[in-house]
Amino acid sequence: MPFTILPPAPAIPFNHPHHYAASDNDSLSSADEMDIDTTTARPTKRARLSRSLVTPGETVTSDPQWMRGHGTYIPSDSTSIVSTVAGTVLKTNKLLSITPLRARYTPEIGDLVIGRIAEVQSRRWRVDISAPLLGALPLSAINLPGGILRKRTAVDELNMRAFFSEGDLLVAEVQSVFADGSASLHTRSLKYGKLRNGYFMAVSGLQFGYRARGGEVDVVLGVNGFIWIARHVEQAKDVAVTRLEESVSLSIYSSQNDEIGPQTRREIARVAGCIRALVEAGARVDEDMVVRAYEASLELDFETEGREDAGGEFLGGEKGKRIVEMALGSATS
Amino acid sequence: MPLDTSTYSLALLRLDGRRWNELRRIHAQISTQAAADGSSYLEMGNTKVICTVTGPAEGRRTAQGAGQECRVEVEISVAGFSGVERKRRGRADKRTQEMQHTLTTAFSSILFTHLYPHSTIILTLHVLSQDGSLLAACLNAATLALIDAGIPMSDYLCACTAGSTANEDTDEPLLDLNGLEEQELPFLTAGVLGDSDKVAVLMLETRVRVERVEGMLAVAVDGCKRVRGILDAVVRAHGRRMVEEGV
């Protein structure tokens, strides 16, 4: 008999599931005076705080005045709304939906996403954007070198791998979402396109997409949880649409990295370390927090400069915790 | 030092000192692997299982074409060191394949697969240590990992085993058998949907008198509800921590 004698982990206090269900139901049914949520459609984690937690199979409400939204269902033999995911209850007017604590990205129109080319097909690419289905990037939705006004030709169709080939990273926008939930992307702007000279990382579930530029590094936070940290490139001044072709050269589809100095590499690594520390601590990752964490890491390095416990450039462990604490502290103050 | 078990039979205690309707210690964690879409670690006594969920993601195209629902694929690997004697169980092992099939059919009916057409959910289970109730532990671990992955499901699928003591005079059913009891006694594995009495999985591989099955099933269903309470507490504790930490 495989007996191992280990110090047992503290037993989990047994909580009866109905205890919470009852209190949650009360809070819902007593909301006769209809609190209309003024928050945006996508709640940040901050907004979740006030909301009650439900788990799969839990009856959210049996009041027929509510409509069911995402994350809920109505069993065939009753009229009460039952949760299907573990998450927080979100009320929008009369619509009840559950925001899962963690879920894969679902594309929505207008999202800024970072993707990796998975397949090259005829007249379109299939892009991995960490959604349930691969996204599609049609050849007609990219900027062709030589200007947007140039006609798409058969030669372009044959040369598709010259623009994007398997494994290439790109930043794009979701143009439309099909009935099955798969996304169609486009890169028809100078802001979007192929990515190079940088560092890729993936975290799960970002709330907003950002594109931050500053100093030596550019950071792109895709809504789908993919992050790109790259050397800063001087953006061409706003060009008139008619003159766009002059700035769209073949070099935007180059796969060759430029020479990057050690100082820039160090800055890229610092940003990546800050993001990793935030993820490890379970804090939200957005533009604000990344900037704060970055500043905190600089401050911390300045304080401990030359000391024994400086800890080098590694931003994990105790140092990572300090950085997150400082970033959170400056966020609340 | 071996335990003094000489008085156990007098007090109607089992080999490991439990009463007939006691579960073993269940310890579970979720979100154990950051890189996976969902993950869990579950201990039921000395049976230890890790589960990771990948997906829903676009999987391999099948010959008949992906349908309107997502597919559930299950891979179970049993570590060579998990049992009493070191034994390699290959991929083609019939018992492993049967467990995979049981999990696939059970979760295909419980998950809302119609929400993710053409995609695939892959469940990967690793058995680190086995001491009875292996299928039940796999089902419970998979349920936790799927909840962590945020995949909609109609309710928790919680499972446990129940056995029946064989001799004529004491016809007592037993809850949650360990490895030794499983070798000796007829037992069944039941998987129940949440707090309802809906049995989603029922597995009986040993010979048992028909009139005993009802008692065993009743004990197993009751045990499953208690398992649900424990798993729900784990999910809630994790959820509360996530809500609080994401300031």
Side-chain angles (χ1 to χ4, degrees), chain A residues 7 37 84 88 102 153 156 211 237 262 271 275-276 283 312 315 329 331:
Chain A
D37 269 303
T84 61
T88 47
R102 204 164 87 120
T153 62
D156 290 326
R211 173 179 271 279
K237 294 275 181 298
V271 175
I275 293 172
R276 216 170 282 125
L315 299 179

Side-chain angles (χ1 to χ4, degrees), chain A residues 55 58 84 102 104 132 284, chain B residues 37 56 58 153 232 236 247:
Chain A
T55 51
E58 185 177 317
T84 61
R102 204 164 87 120
R104 239 178 138 83
R284 84 200 133 87
Chain B
D37 287 307
E58 191 151 317
M153 57 170 77
D232 196 53
R236 275 178 196 284
V247 195

